[in-house]
Amino acid sequence: MEQQELFDVVVVGGGPVGLAAAYEVAKAGGKVITLEQNNFFNHCGTSGGLARVFQTFYGDSLMTKLAKTSMKHWNDLEQEAGVSLMYMTGMLYFGEKDTLISPLENLDTLEMKYTKLTAAEIERDYPFKNLDPEWAGLLAPNNGMINVQLLVRTLYVLAKNLGAQAEQHTQVERIRPSHSKDSNWEIDVKTYGRAATYFTKKIIITSGAGINSILGPSFGISLDLETRQIATTYFNVDKLANGTAFPRTWLHQSLLGNGRSLIFYGLPPLPWGPPDVERVVVEGTQKIDNPNVNQGRFPISQEIKDANKFMQDHITGVDHTLPPSMMSYRKPNLFDDAFVLDFLPKQYLHEGAEKSIAIFTAGWAMKLVPLLGKALAQMILEGESEFAHEAFSITRKNPKTGKGILLGENKVNDS
């Protein structure tokens, strides 16, 4: 890179959302580069693992609406790429009837199709047993699984084909207002240990759990994030006549006697994964104090023990005694489990141009990747997006505590 090369947009973070944003900027004619601190297609961040669930079952009406809206963006992306990125099996959501009320109301409001099932009908059609007869289920067709690893590679190739640049093993050390007459920002980095500076008019930050290592040194602020390492366990299934065959993705929710909630996602064997192995467990979590440090071996959490007990009691043909494999990824959380999709507020820009830095982080967002890429490109190129709802504001506060999600407003030397 020549020292004075000027970009319209620099994307910091080369995961699915960052690559989707770079693709949309390039598609709009912008000169864009994506900077990734690890190698591209790594399993270190929120895109680790083989698959994510695409679902429309939400108690929150906004998320249900966004999931429905994102279907068009997924279809557009698949057509542009010429590959199938989703495996739409439909989803069975079952459990205590009270847990179904809000998702059912949201599906009705958006006129989305579903079928109601009793516990007996679920046992008849799926390899479940000994279900509480008071449980009920909903079966929705427009749900399934996302091929995460193909998704990130597809977005990378699409963006590069449109002229986007990409640099891996590039650690952003600081973002500062530019002294150049043409650029608004200078980004100091180290690429494979070598110092360099990128000049750009605007920036999109999608660095996930590592976002505070950029916001702190650059703007003297941080987000009140809790980063968790999430382990997904896969179990062997019996494919014989009386064994296990899950024709669809499924989701179960119920309450334990001690007040803890159980939430399980079950995925059929993946067309792009190992045969006769099924993810049929809750996602156990472990808090990470430093998201930039590898946590090592994942402990067997209480959630995973609960899942083993559920499989033993309610699923036929699954070897619950020992998971053959475990995969983990990192997910940053905020108090409301929603994400941030907003501009960095003017008061933290140190006289930099307003609406010149857009931020995305936190939340469960894989199902919205094409939509979020479009939203970030609209924000940074046009100054607004219909998808940047107030619910995703960076200045929102926890209504229970009155505490905002922006922390540590320390003075930064602008020189």
Side-chain angles (χ1 to χ4, degrees), residues 181-202:
K181 65 177 182 178
D182 296 320
S183 65
N184 291 321
W185 298 100
E186 297 179 14
I187 305 177
D188 297 327
V189 306
K190 283 189 176 178
T191 300
Y192 292 99
R194 299 188 300 272
T197 299
Y198 289 86
F199 296 81
T200 184
K201 298 174 184 178
K202 297 182 178 182

Side-chain angles (χ1 to χ4, degrees), residues 105-322:
E105 291 175 347
N106 292 329
L107 293 176
D108 283 337
T109 298
L110 295 172
E111 299 180 342
M112 301 181 72
K113 295 180 180 179
Y114 63 85
T115 302
K116 293 182 179 180
L117 297 174
T118 65
E121 289 171 328
I122 294 171
E123 289 188 359
R124 180 195 67 196
D125 297 336
Y126 298 87
F128 293 109
K129 62 183 181 180
N130 304 322
L131 299 183
D132 187 326
E134 295 300 316
W135 287 354
L138 300 173
L139 176 62
N142 293 318
N143 291 251
M145 296 177 288
I146 300 167
N147 188 335
V148 176
Q149 299 311 314
L150 181 58
L151 172 64
V152 291
R153 286 161 174 79
T154 297
L155 290 168
Y156 179 88
V157 170
L158 287 174
K160 293 275 281 188
N161 287 345
L162 291 173
Q165 299 181 40
E167 288 287 348
Q168 61 184 4
H169 294 284
T170 298
Q171 179 69 49
V172 172
E173 298 197 321
R174 187 173 171 194
I175 299 169
R176 51 192 170 84
S178 179
H179 299 296
S180 170
K181 65 177 182 178
D182 296 320
S183 65
N184 291 321
W185 298 100
E186 297 179 14
I187 305 177
D188 297 327
V189 306
K190 283 189 176 178
T191 300
Y192 292 99
R194 299 188 300 272
T197 299
Y198 289 86
F199 296 81
T200 184
K201 298 174 184 178
K202 297 182 178 182
I203 301 171
I204 297 174
I205 303 177
T206 62
S207 51
I211 193 168
N212 284 336
S213 65
I214 296 172
L215 295 181
S218 303
F219 307 106
I221 58 174
S222 62
L223 292 173
D224 190 15
L225 293 173
E226 179 183 81
T227 301
R228 304 197 72 86
Q229 185 176 14
I230 298 178
T232 299
T233 56
Y234 290 80
F235 288 81
N236 291 320
V237 296
D238 180 3
K239 284 297 182 182
L240 298 179
N242 296 321
T244 303
F246 286 100
R248 308 184 193 282
T249 306
W250 57 272
L251 167 63
H252 168 72
Q253 184 170 357
S254 61
L255 295 175
L256 296 175
N258 57 10
R260 287 189 295 114
S261 177
L262 287 180
I263 301 178
F264 300 91
Y265 285 94
L267 274 66
L270 303 169
W272 55 87
D276 301 338
V277 176
E278 185 146 358
R279 189 176 86 177
V280 289
V281 300
V282 70
E283 293 178 321
T285 64
Q286 176 189 15
K287 184 178 178 181
I288 295 176
D289 294 325
N290 185 349
N292 296 314
V293 176
N294 192 310
Q295 295 298 111
R297 185 177 178 84
F298 194 94
I300 300 299
S301 67
Q302 184 59 50
E303 292 95 337
I304 294 177
K305 294 178 182 177
D306 292 339
N308 285 9
K309 182 68 165 56
F310 180 85
M311 288 189 295
Q312 184 177 8
D313 293 344
H314 298 296
I315 303 178
T316 62
V318 175
D319 182 0
H320 65 277
T321 57
L322 182 67

Side-chain angles (χ1 to χ4, degrees), residues 25 49 65 221:
V25 170
K65 182 178 180 180
I221 58 174

Side-chain angles (χ1 to χ4, degrees), residues 202 343 355 377-385:
K202 297 182 178 182
F343 292 104
K355 292 189 174 181
Q378 290 173 339
M379 290 168 63
I380 212 66
L381 297 177
E382 303 170 16
E384 61 182 1
S385 172

